[in-house]
Amino acid sequence: MRPELSELPSAQDLADQILYHLTHTQGRGPEFATVFDWRLAVSYTIRDLIVTPWMAGHRASRDGKLKRVYYLSMEFLIGRILGDAIVNLGLDQQMDAALAQLGLDKTDILEDEPDAALGNGGLGRLAACFMESLASLGVPAFGYGIRYEHGLFRQRFEGGQQVETPEDWLNQPHPWEFTRIDYSYTIGFKGHVENVDGHSVWHPGESVIARAYDTPVIGWQGKWANTLRLWGAQPTNLFDLHRFNAGDYAAAAEPEALARTLSRVLYPDDTTDQGKELRLKQEYFLTSAALQDIIRRFTAEHGEDLALLPDKVAIQLNDTHPAIAGPELIRLLMDEHGLSFDQALDIARRTLNYTNHTLLPEALERWSTWLMGDVLPRHLQIIQMIDEAHRAATHRPPHTGIIEHDEVRMGELAFIMAGHVNGVSALHTDLVRSTVFADLHKLHPERILNQTNGVTPRRWLRLANPPLSRLLDHTIGAGWTGDLDQLEGLEAHAEDAGFLAALRGAKRQNKVVLANGLLSDLGIKPDPEALFDVQVKRMHEYKRQLLNILETIALWHRIHESPNGDWTPRLKIFGGKAAPGYWTAKTVIHLINDVARKINDDPVTSKFLKIAYPPNYNVSMAERLIPAADLSEQISTAGKEASGTGNMKFTMNGALTIGTLDGANVEIREMVGAENFFLFGLTAAEAAAEKARPGHARAAIEKSENMKVALQLIAEGRFGRPEQYFALLDRTWNDDPFLVASDFESYFACQRRIDATYRNHRDWDRMTALNIARSGYFSSDRTIRGYMADIWKVGPATP
Ligand code: 26W
C-alpha cells in the first residue's frame, strides 16, 4: 500500500513518492526511465500534495456558503507549473535533495515541461498572476478559460524573419489537469428565435459540448488552492456512422472536426480585432459554459432564488472578450429561469465587472450586427433590449449606444452591463475616463475606478531569481514572499557596501548563467560586466522596438567614429513575437536580426556592443532573462501602454528602468524615486499634441543627426537588402505614428546618461537596491486586495 505523506514531507519522503509514481503511474523502472518519465513522477508527487488543500478549500467554500470570485478570460498565460508548485509548497530544498539522491538534474526535469502558452502577452499573464494571488490570499475563486489544443505559436527565425509553427503542448500527457466529464454543457449557435406566447425560445442550428478540465492553482505556503477550469469542445454527436458505412469517411468525421475547431487554437493577435466568426464563437463558448457552471453551483448551494446571485457571485470580465456574458446571463435568467428582463438586467449588473486593458482603437471589439444576429440571434435581441433600456434611462445622449452603424460595440456593452469598470494603471484609468469612455463616464461618473496591475513575487522573484531571493532572506528574512512590502527593510542597507556588493554578486551570477546558457546557444559570448539592456514584450509599433534598434545603430556609428572612445560595453537583448499578420512588426524583427548579424561580427565595435534576439520569447524565457537584466526598456509612446507588467518584474529583480511617463511607469517612478529612474520623452498630453502637428516626423528627424544617420545607414544597405526596409523608412519619415523621431534625441541622451551611471558601481548599486526596496506595491497581492475591497466585496476564506 502507498505510504501516506506527512505534513511537510522530507527529502526521503519525496524520493520515495517519486519512485512510487515512476513505477506505478509511469510504469517505468529507473533504468528505463526518460527525463519525461521522471518529470511526470515528480509532478504527480507534487500534485498529490496539492489535492489535499484543494479539496479542503472547495469544501470550506461550499459548507461556508462563501461568496466566490469568477475570473473569465480568453487567455491564461501560465507558463510551466511544476517549479512554481514546488516553491509555493515550500519544498525547494527538500526537492533539491530528493532529486540529487535520485541522481537527477533539477534543471533538466523542470525544463522538460512545455509552457502552457494559452495567451498572447500582458492580459493573459496578468490573469495567471491573479489566479496565483487569489489562491495565496485564500480567496475562493475559479478561473474560466479555453483549453486550446494549440497555444501561442512557436517563433523561429529564417533569414532573420519570423516564421510561425503550431505550438503543441498537449501532444504529451499533461499531469496538471483533471478531466471532469460530469461537468459538460451544451453550447448552441445560430438557428432562430421563436416567440411562444410572449416568451422567446431560441432554437440553435448547431451545438457543441463544453467539457471541463480542471487545473489546481496552489497558493503561497500551500494553505489554499483554487480551480482553473478550462473548457474543451466535444461534438454533440460523435460520429456519423451512416456516412461512414456509406464510405464517406471525411463527412463522417465532420461533426468531430467542426466541434474541435472551437478549442483548437488561440488567436495570436494581441491588439487587432480580426472580427472573425470563429473568434466570436470561441468567446461565447467560454462564456456560456462558465455562466451555466456558475448558476449550477449557485443553485446547488443556495437554492433557486437567483436574486441572491450578486451576494454569492462576483464575475470579472478580462477585457471585452467575454463581454457577451451580459446578454448570456440575462438569457439564462429570463429564458431558462423565468425572470423578467428588468429583474435579469439588475441581477446581471450587480454581478458583472469589466476591466479595460487597452485604448488602441483597433483593439476594441466590434461585431457586425449581421454576424452577431447570425451566430447568436437571441443575444442580438437581448443586446437591443439592453441598449434601449440604457438609452431610455439616460435620455438618449449621443455616442453612448451599444449598437451604432450596424456594429455591436463590445466596450460599450461591457461598460453598461458592469457594476464596476476599471483601468489597469492610474494614467490609463484617467485616459479611459477622458477618451474611450468619456461619454459614458459623464453618465455614470462613479463607475470607473483604478486597479493598478501587479505581478506575483512567487514566480517572478522567489522562483526566477534564487540568488537574489537568498540574499533577501538573509538580509530581511523570508516574509517578503507573502508580503512584498517587507522589501522596504532593504532601505536601511542601501548605503551598506557589503550588502551592495552581495547584490551586485547576485546579479552577476544570473548574468553569467544567462551568458553561458541562452546566449551561448545563440553563439554570443557577452562580457558579464557589460550592461545587459533588455527589451522583451510583444512586437508592436507603440512599444517602439524600432526606437531601440535605431538608437543602437546610431551608437554603433558613434563607436565607429571614435573606436578608442571610453564606451560602456553593452549587450542589447530583444525578445518578442509579432502577430502573424502584422507586417510592420515583422519588418522590425527582420531589421533587428539584420543589424545584429552586422554588429556582432564587427571587429571594431563588438567588444563594446552586441545584440541578442533569442527566438520564441515566452514565460519560461522571461524567468531566465529578467533576473539577468541591468536595464529594463519601457519606452512606449506615452498614453499607449495601458500599464505594462514586465516593467514591474524588472524593478523587483533589480533592473533600472529607462522609460516614458506611460502606464505603470508613472507609478514605478513615483515609488522608486525620480532620481532612481531614467526618464525621457514626451508626456501623454505632449505626445497627443505632437501627433496632431503635421510633418512632425520629418521635422524631428531633420533636427536629429543621430536618427538621420541611422536611417541613412539602413537606406544604403548596411543591414541587408535596403529595399525590404523602404516602406518602413517611408512610414518613419512621413508618418511615424508613434513619435519615434520626436522622442529620439531625448532617448539617445538618456542612454548616454545611463552609460555614465553604470560605470559608477556605488551609485548604480544603490539605485538598484532602492528599486527593489520600493517595488512592494507592484505585487499582484496588493492588486487583488484592491479588487476584493472595491469591486468584488469578498474577504479571504481563511481570516
Ligand atoms: C481582440 C484582439 C485583442 C487581444 C488581446 C485585443 C487586445 C488584447 C489585450 C487587451 C492586449 C493586452 O494584452 N493588453 C495589455 O494588458 C496588460 C495587462 O493589463 C497591460 O499591462 C498592457 O499594458 C496591455 O497592453
Side-chain angles (χ1 to χ4, degrees):
M1 187 41 232
R2 183 161 66 126
E4 204 33 60
L5 285 176
S6 63
E7 200 25 57
L8 253 195
S10 66
Q12 187 55 53
D13 291 337
L14 290 177
D16 296 345
Q17 285 306 104
I18 292 167
L19 281 174
Y20 173 87
H21 277 297
L22 187 72
T23 312
H24 295 280
T25 310
Q26 279 312 100
R28 275 277 167 88
E31 67 278 24
F32 298 107
T34 62
V35 173
F36 168 75
D37 293 318
W38 284 111
R39 193 251 301 172
L40 257 65
V42 174
S43 302
Y44 288 126
T45 298
I46 292 295
R47 197 181 80 168
D48 292 347
L49 297 168
I50 291 173
V51 166
T52 314
W54 191 23
M55 290 185 181
H58 193 68
R59 291 195 184 102
S61 307
R62 181 196 57 209
D63 303 347
K65 295 194 174 308
L66 301 178
K67 183 172 187 179
R68 287 192 182 85
V69 170
Y70 293 101
Y71 202 81
L72 272 57
S73 180
M74 285 287 280
E75 305 184 19
F76 286 94
L77 194 42
I78 302 164
R80 291 178 175 136
I81 293 174
L82 178 55
D84 183 61
I86 292 169
V87 161
N88 272 353
L89 289 169
L91 290 174
D92 356 19
Q93 261 99 44
Q94 293 92 326
M95 186 55 83
D96 289 357
L99 294 176
Q101 185 185 320
L102 295 165
L104 298 168
D105 175 294
K106 185 179 180 186
T107 309
D108 289 352
I109 297 281
L110 295 182
E111 292 189 354
D112 179 70
E113 180 181 349
D115 269 39
L118 308 181
N120 279 284
L123 170 140
R125 182 56 231 177
L126 186 83
C129 281
F130 278 12
M131 288 303 293
E132 196 274 347
S133 277
L134 282 162
S136 294
L137 295 170
V139 178
F142 275 74
Y144 283 116
I146 293 183
R147 181 182 182 263
Y148 301 106
E149 279 177 53
H150 304 289
L152 188 61
F153 62 85
R154 292 189 64 76
Q155 175 197 51
R156 72 173 197 281
F157 297 137
E158 267 175 28
Q161 305 204 50
Q162 172 178 296
V163 174
E164 305 90 18
T165 53
E167 188 285 324
D168 205 7
W169 71 303
L170 290 177
N171 74 350
Q172 55 179 268
H174 174 36
W176 297 104
E177 71 175 10
F178 295 82
T179 306
R180 302 295 193 214
I181 52 178
D182 49 328
Y183 292 140
S184 297
Y185 301 92
T186 302
I187 314 298
F189 298 103
K190 305 202 170 194
H192 67 284
V193 180
E194 184 194 14
N195 198 311
V196 182
D197 52 28
H199 288 292
S200 298
V201 180
W202 177 28
H203 302 287
E206 55 186 70
S207 64
V208 297
I209 301 292
R211 169 181 289 178
Y213 296 81
D214 289 356
T215 295
V217 179
I218 188 78
W220 174 236
Q221 296 180 322
K223 295 198 198 88
W224 187 270
N226 282 323
T227 302
L228 174 58
R229 180 160 285 178
L230 301 178
W231 302 103
Q234 296 281 325
T236 38
N237 51 5
L238 246 185
F239 186 60
D240 190 324
L241 208 50
H242 306 299
R243 289 219 183 128
F244 186 87
N245 295 338
D248 186 349
Y249 306 124
E254 204 180 278
E256 166 112 24
L258 197 67
R260 287 189 42 202
T261 53
L262 269 175
S263 54
R264 174 101 64 202
V265 64
L266 165 76
Y267 268 84
D269 309 281
D270 76 330
T271 49
T272 311
D273 169 26
Q274 299 291 337
K276 294 280 187 310
E277 175 178 329
L278 177 58
R279 170 74 179 190
L280 175 58
K281 292 174 92 173
Q282 285 186 334
E283 294 181 352
Y284 180 64
F285 173 75
L286 155 66
T287 305
S288 179
L291 289 172
Q292 292 187 57
D293 196 45
I294 291 168
I295 289 177
R296 174 197 54 76
R297 185 174 303 104
F298 172 85
T299 50
E301 293 178 359
H302 307 285
E304 286 302 320
D305 181 3
L306 285 155
L308 298 174
L309 193 73
D311 307 337
K312 296 298 181 181
V313 171
I315 296 175
Q316 195 67 32
L317 305 178
N318 202 16
D319 217 279
T320 59
H321 312 154
I324 198 72
E328 173 66 359
L329 183 50
I330 290 175
R331 180 186 75 84
L332 292 167
L333 295 175
M334 286 180 72
D335 297 2
E336 308 216 347
H337 293 269
L339 276 68
S340 71
F341 172 73
D342 291 343
Q343 288 174 313
L345 178 63
D346 172 60
I347 291 170
R349 289 214 51 257
R350 290 189 294 120
T351 304
L352 299 172
N353 305 286
Y354 155 53
T355 301
N356 173 282
H357 295 269
T358 182
L359 299 171
L360 297 176
E362 68 268 27
L364 303 175
E365 292 187 296
R366 294 152 183 255
W367 297 105
S368 72
T369 48
W370 177 86
L371 184 62
M372 184 66 81
D374 175 51
V375 174
L376 299 170
R378 177 61 177 140
H379 297 77
L380 182 60
Q381 288 180 344
I382 293 172
I383 290 169
Q384 287 155 342
M385 294 160 74
I386 296 168
D387 209 5
E388 187 41 41
H390 182 256
R391 283 178 197 281
T394 58
H395 320 300
R396 306 183 183 289
H399 320 305
T400 60
I402 299 168
I403 299 176
E404 301 254 352
H405 317 303
D406 297 331
E407 285 190 322
V408 179
R409 305 192 300 172
M410 300 308 274
E412 279 70 13
L413 171 62
F415 188 109
I416 288 168
M417 283 306 301
H420 301 88
V421 173
N422 76 283
V424 290
S425 77
L427 173 63
H428 172 64
T429 300
D430 290 345
L431 292 170
V432 166
R433 289 192 184 101
S434 61
T435 62
V436 67
F437 291 128
D439 299 307
L440 283 168
H441 174 56
K442 281 198 209 70
L443 293 177
H444 310 283
E446 77 307 327
R447 194 168 299 180
I448 299 177
L449 69 164
N450 181 48
Q451 298 293 348
T452 296
N453 282 163
V455 300
T456 169
R458 272 71 66 179
R459 181 179 290 269
W460 295 109
L461 205 35
R462 172 122 344 243
L463 174 67
N465 199 340
L468 177 56
S469 297
R470 279 193 293 275
L471 176 59
L472 296 177
D473 293 352
H474 173 72
T475 312
I476 57 170
W480 57 268
T481 318
D483 172 16
L484 206 59
D485 289 335
Q486 291 186 23
L487 290 179
E488 276 157 15
L490 293 177
E491 295 259 1
H493 303 267
E495 304 290 345
D496 168 49
F499 171 74
L500 296 180
L503 193 57
R504 173 170 284 271
K507 180 61 74 179
R508 182 176 169 73
Q509 208 178 323
N510 291 321
K511 292 168 77 172
V512 168
V513 168
L514 190 74
N516 298 340
L518 187 72
L519 301 173
S520 71
D521 302 354
L522 293 173
I524 294 177
K525 295 253 169 299
D527 157 11
E529 278 312 307
L531 191 161
F532 280 26
D533 168 352
V534 181
Q535 185 173 24
V536 286
K537 51 190 72 223
R538 285 294 296 255
M539 296 299 293
H540 197 287
E541 287 175 276
Y542 85 81
K543 294 173 185 282
R544 300 203 291 192
Q545 285 90 354
L546 179 61
L547 175 59
N548 190 337
I549 194 64
L550 289 177
E551 186 270 341
T552 308
I553 295 171
L555 173 62
W556 175 70
H557 179 73
R558 285 287 194 87
I559 298 172
H560 257 289
E561 283 181 327
S562 29
N564 307 322
D566 179 13
W567 300 102
T568 298
R570 203 183 265 243
L571 169 66
K572 288 257 183 186
I573 302 176
F574 291 87
K577 296 171 179 176
Y582 194 171
W583 185 86
T584 306
K586 286 183 142 178
T587 305
V588 174
I589 290 178
H590 193 185
L591 177 62
I592 295 169
N593 283 323
D594 271 354
V595 174
R597 197 157 37 79
K598 175 79 177 179
I599 288 182
N600 290 343
D601 305 345
D602 181 327
V604 176
T605 62
S606 63
K607 61 181 170 301
F608 295 128
L609 184 58
K610 282 192 172 50
I611 300 175
Y613 192 165
N616 204 43
Y617 174 67
N618 60 13
V619 170
S620 293
M621 188 185 289
E623 289 169 17
R624 296 162 71 183
L625 278 174
I626 291 172
D630 298 302
L631 187 65
S632 158
E633 297 269 355
Q634 308 299 333
I635 61 175
S636 53
T637 313
K640 298 300 179 189
E641 189 70 86
S643 163
T645 45
N647 47 8
M648 300 165 182
K649 295 161 190 169
F650 280 103
T651 300
M652 60 182 65
N653 277 281
L656 302 183
T657 302
I658 179 169
T660 51
L661 281 177
D662 196 19
N665 291 358
V666 174
E667 290 152 87
I668 290 174
R669 182 168 173 269
E670 274 161 16
M671 287 293 176
V672 304
E675 68 285 1
N676 299 310
F677 186 101
F678 296 106
L679 179 69
F680 79 97
L682 301 168
T683 64
E686 292 163 345
E690 172 75 356
K691 186 162 168 51
R693 239 160 41 78
H696 58 81
R698 187 165 293 279
I701 296 170
E702 292 302 349
K703 272 199 312 244
S704 166
E705 278 315 309
N706 290 307
M707 181 157 176
K708 217 182 318 185
V709 73
L711 297 174
Q712 187 52 38
L713 289 168
I714 298 170
E716 63 192 41
R718 290 298 194 85
F719 308 110
R721 290 181 307 103
E723 54 277 6
Q724 60 203 352
Y725 297 121
F726 286 165
L728 181 66
L729 292 169
D730 179 70
R731 181 173 171 74
T732 305
W733 273 97
N734 302 308
D735 191 356
D736 193 20
F738 296 100
L739 308 175
V740 167
S742 313
D743 272 348
F744 190 88
E745 277 306 314
S746 172
Y747 179 63
F748 190 87
C750 189
Q751 290 285 23
R752 300 296 73 80
R753 271 206 312 279
I754 291 167
D755 282 339
T757 310
Y758 183 70
R759 300 157 80 97
N760 179 327
H761 288 190
R762 183 147 186 89
D763 285 358
W764 190 272
D765 296 347
R766 190 187 60 257
M767 292 167 80
T768 295
L770 294 174
N771 268 260
I772 299 170
R774 299 166 181 175
S775 64
Y777 178 78
F778 301 104
S779 166
S780 46
D781 297 350
R782 183 270 312 153
T783 311
I784 290 296
R785 284 200 188 91
Y787 280 86
M788 291 164 67
D790 309 340
I791 298 177
W792 302 329
K793 315 296 181 198
V794 296
T798 49

